[in-house]
C-alpha cells in the first residue's frame, strides 16, 4: 500500500496546477454544502421550533360544517338536491366537553401540556388605522405551562392578562402596522357581532414568524368569551407532546376518541412543509451539481494523468506492479484530492459560518431575524467530508480502472 | 556461468490476428550467461523478449523460470515474478518524470516490500556504483541520455533479479554511452547476473557469451 501511496502523492504534488484546480473544486463543493445546509436547515428548524412552541403539536378544533348536500342525502337518501345557502348553527362552534377532554389527556404520559383556546376573528382599530386580526382567548397560566408564551413576549407581562381582563397582547408586526410602539396604548376591538370594546395593550408578541406576529392578538379567554357572548366555551384545544413526531399518531387518536377534528402540526403547516421540501430539493440539487462539477474536476485530472502516464503505467507493470496497484495509485490520487478538499472545505465552511453569524441584517420574509439563522450541526461537516471523499473516490475509480487495463507491450511497441 | 537453466521457452508461438510473429521458438538461458538475440527489425526478437519477460502471453508454448512453469493466466504471480526475478531495461529509459533518480530506483524495491529507508540506502548505493553519485535528487529531465539509461539500469538491478532483460538498451545512446552501458552489463554479468539482451547491432552482440539469431519469427542459429 505504501508504495502506491508514495507514487500517488508524487503524482499529486508534481502536477501542481491540475491538483490545485481539482482540490479547489472539492473545497468549494464541501464548503458550499456545509454553508447551504446550515442556512436552509437553520431557517427551517427556526421556523418549526418557533411555530411549534407557539402553536403546539396537535390541536382539536370544531370541524367546519360539512357539505350540506351530504347531510340531506343522509336523511333523504339519493335524489336531486341543491343547497343554495345555509346558516351555520351556533352550537357547532364550540367544543362542548372540553373540560373532560383536558382532564382525560392530562394523565397521558406522552402529553406535556394542554391549553384550551377560544379563537375568533376581529378587527382592531387604532386611531384611523384598522387591521383584521386573529383573536386568541387563553388561560394565561395554562398557556405558559404548555407553550412557554412568555418566551416570546417583549416585556414578559403575560400575567397582566389575568390581573386586568381588559388587556391584550398584540403581535409586534400588527402593532407596528397600527402605529403602536409602546405598551399602555388603548385599542378598539370590533367583535364579529359588531360590538366594540376598548382594550389596553400590555405587551407585544415577537415570535419571529411574520404570519403570527402580524395577525395575532392574545387576551384572557374569559374576556373573549364575554366579547363573543360564548360564556364557558372553547373552540380549540392545543396539545404539547413529549415527542413532536407523535403528532400525527395523536391527531388520529384524538380525532377518533373525541369526535372532533384533530390536526397535527404537519397538517397545520403542510403548505410551509411543502415549500421547505421544495427548498431542500433545490438546495440539494445545487449542492449535487457542485459536487458533480468537482467530481468531474477530479475525473479530469486523474483521466489526464492516466492518459499521459501510459508509458509509466507500462513500466510499473514491467517492474511487478499488478493491476490492483495501478487502480490504487490513481484512486489514491483522487482520494488525496478528496481528503484535502474535504478537510480544507470543512475549515472554509466553518469560517464562512462564523462570519455569517456576525452579520447583522434585517431578514424579513416568512421569518424575521436580525441575521442569518444557522443550524451549526457538526453532522453537516461530517457529511460534507464524506461526500467529498466519496465523490473523489467515484470520480477517480474509472480512470484508475482503465489504467489498470493498459497492456504494457502495446505501450512499448507504440514507443510509449 | 553454470549449467543450470534459469529461463527456458518451449515451442513459443505468437499470433497477432492472422499474422504469426513467433513460429515455434525454443530457447534456454543458463544462470550467469550473457546472451544476445540479434535479428533484423520484425524478426520477432522483441516479441520473444516480452514473452520471456512475462509481459506478454504466448499463443502457444511454455515458459519456465527457475524451473517453475509460468502460469500466464495468474496475473498476481506474473507480477510477483516480474518484481522479484526479472529486471527490465528498454531502448528508452522509461523513467517516471515526477520522481528523482533515487526515487525511480526505489520504485521496484518499495513494491517488493522493502522499507523506505532501506530502499533509499540501496538505491544510493546502486546509483553510486553506476557513477551517478551526487545526481540522486535530479529529475530525469535534468540528466543526460546516458545518465538516464544508467538510472534505468540501476532500477533494473535494484531488486537483485535473477535475470535482466534488455531490449535494445543502447539503441538511443551515442557511442561513448553505448560503451559505458556495455561495460556495466559485463561487470554485472561477472558478478553473476544473467543478462538477455536484444539488439540489432551485431558488434555489441559479439561481446556476449552467446548469440541467438532470429529471422521471420524463428531462431536460425
Amino acid at each position: 500500500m505504501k508504495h502506491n501511496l508514495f507514487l500517488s502523492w508524487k503524482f499529486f504534488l508534481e502536477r501542481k496546477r491540475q491538483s490545485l484546480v481539482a482540490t479547489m473544486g472539492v473545497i468549494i463543493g464541501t464548503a458550499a454544502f456545509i454553508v447551504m445546509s446550515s442556512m436552509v436547515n437553520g431557517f427551517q428548524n427556526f421556523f418549526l421550533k418557533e411555530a411549534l412552541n407557539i402553536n403546539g403539536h396537535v390541536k382539536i378544533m370544531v370541524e367546519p360544517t360539512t357539505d350540506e348536500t351530504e347531510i340531506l342525502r343522509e336523511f333523504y337518501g339519493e335524489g336531486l338536491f341543491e343547497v343554495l345557502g345555509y346558516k351555520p348553527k351556533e352550537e357547532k362552534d364550540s367544543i362542548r366537553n372540553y373540560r373532560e377532554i383536558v382532564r382525560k389527556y392530562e394523565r397521558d404520559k406522552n402529553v406535556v401540556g394542554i391549553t384550551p383556546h377560544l379563537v375568533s376573528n376581529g378587527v382592531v382599530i387604532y386611531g384611523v388605522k384598522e387591521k383584521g386580526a386573529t383573536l386568541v382567548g387563553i388561560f394565561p397560566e395554562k398557556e405558559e405551562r404548555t407553550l412557554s408564551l412568555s418566551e416570546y413576549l417583549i416585556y414578559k407581562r403575560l400575567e397582566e392578562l389575568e390581573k386586568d381582563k381588559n388587556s391584550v397582547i398584540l403581535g409586534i408586526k400588527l402593532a407596528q402596522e397600527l402605529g403602536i410602539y409602546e405598551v399602555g396604548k388603548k385599542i378598539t376591538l370590533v367583535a364579529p357581532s359588531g360590538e366594540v370594546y376598548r382594550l389596553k395593550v400590555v405587551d407585544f408578541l415577537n415570535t419571529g414568524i411574520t404570519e403570527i406576529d402580524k395577525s395575532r392578538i392574545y387576551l384572557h379567554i374569559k374576556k373573549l368569551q364575554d366579547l363573543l357572548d360564548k360564556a364557558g366555551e372553547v373552540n380549540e384545544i392545543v396539545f404539547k407532546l413529549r415527542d413532536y413526531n407523535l403528532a400525527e399518531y395523536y391527531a388520529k387518536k384524538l380525532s377518533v376518541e373525541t369526535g372532533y377534528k384533530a390536526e397535527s402540526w404537519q397538517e397545520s403547516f403542510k403548505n410551509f412543509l411543502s415549500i421547505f421540501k421544495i427548498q431542500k430539493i433545490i438546495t440539494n440539487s445545487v449542492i449535487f451539481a457542485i459536487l458533480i462539477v468537482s467530481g468531474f474536476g477530479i475525473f479530469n485530472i486523474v483521466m489526464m494523468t492516466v492518459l499521459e502516464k501510459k508509458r509509466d503505467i507500462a513500466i510499473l507493470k514491467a517492474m511487478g506492479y499488478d493491476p490492483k496497484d495501478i487502480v490504487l495509485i490513481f484512486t489514491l490520487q483522487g482520494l488525496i484530492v478528496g481528503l484535502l478538499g474535504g478537510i480544507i472545505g470543512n475549515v472554509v465552511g466553518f469560517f464562512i459560518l462564523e462570519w455569517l453569524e456576525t452579520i447583522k441584517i434585517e431578514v424579513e420574509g416568512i421569518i424575521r431575524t436580525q441575521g442569518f439563522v444557522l443550524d451549526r450541526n457538526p453532522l453537516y461537516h461530517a457529511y460534507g467530508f464524506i461526500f467529498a471523499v466519496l465523490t473523489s473516490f467515484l470520480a477517480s475509480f474509472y480512470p484508475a480502472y482503465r489504467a489498470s487495463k493498459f497492456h504494457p507491450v502495446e505501450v512499448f511497441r507504440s514507443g510509449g | 556461468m553454470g549449467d543450470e537453466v534459469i529461463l527456458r521457452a518451449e515451442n513459443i508461438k505468437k499470433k497477432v490476428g492472422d499474422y504469426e510473429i513467433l513460429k515455434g521458438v525454443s530457447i534456454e538461458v543458463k544462470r550467469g550467461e550473457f546472451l544476445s538475440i540479434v535479428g533484423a527489425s520484425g524478426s520477432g526478437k522483441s516479441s520473444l523478449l516480452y514473452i520471456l519477460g512475462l509481459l506478454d502471453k504466448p499463443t502457444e508454448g511454455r515458459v519456465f523460470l527457475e524451473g517453475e512453469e509460468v502460469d500466464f493466466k495468474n496475473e498476481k504471480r506474473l507480477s510477483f515474478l516480474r518484481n522479484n526475478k526479472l529486471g527490465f531495461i528498454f531502448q528508452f529509459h522509461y523513467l517516471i518524470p515526477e520522481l528523482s533518480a533515487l526515487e525511480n530506483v526505489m520504485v521496484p524495491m518499495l513494491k517488493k516490500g522493502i522499507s523506505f529507508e532501506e530502499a533509499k540506502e540501496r538505491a544510493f548505493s546502486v546509483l553510486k556504483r553506476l557513477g551517478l553519485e551526487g545526481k540522486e535528487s535530479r529529475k530525469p529531465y535534468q540528466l543526460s541520455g546516458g545518465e538516464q539509461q544508467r538510472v534505468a539500469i540501476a532500477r533494473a538491478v535494484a531488486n537483485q533479479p535473477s535475470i535482466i532483460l534488455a531490449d535494445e538498451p543502447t539503441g538511443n545512446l551515442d557511442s561513448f554511452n553505448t560503451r559505458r552501458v556495455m561495460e556495466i552489463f559485463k561487470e554485472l554479468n561477472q558478478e553473476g547476473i544473467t543478462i538477455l539482451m536484444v539488439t540489432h547491432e551485431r558488434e555489441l552482440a559479439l561481446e556476449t557469451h552467446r548469440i541467438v539469431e532470429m529471422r521471420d519469427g524463428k531462431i536460425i542459429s
Side-chain angles (χ1 to χ4, degrees), chain A residues 298-313:
Chain A
I298 296 166
F299 178 86
N300 190 34
I301 179 182
V302 179
M303 200 67 192
M304 274 174 65
T305 310
V306 163
L307 293 175
E308 284 173 18
K309 300 197 84 50
K310 271 185 171 180
R311 204 188 61 178
D312 300 331
I313 293 162

Side-chain angles (χ1 to χ4, degrees), chain A residues 62-86:
Chain A
V62 179
E63 182 103 50
T65 312
T66 50
D67 180 4
E68 274 62 36
T69 313
E70 284 298 315
I71 297 168
L72 288 173
R73 197 166 279 133
E74 270 181 37
F75 285 98
Y76 302 109
E78 288 300 318
L80 286 172
F81 301 112
E82 187 179 8
V83 179
L84 298 172
Y86 67 91

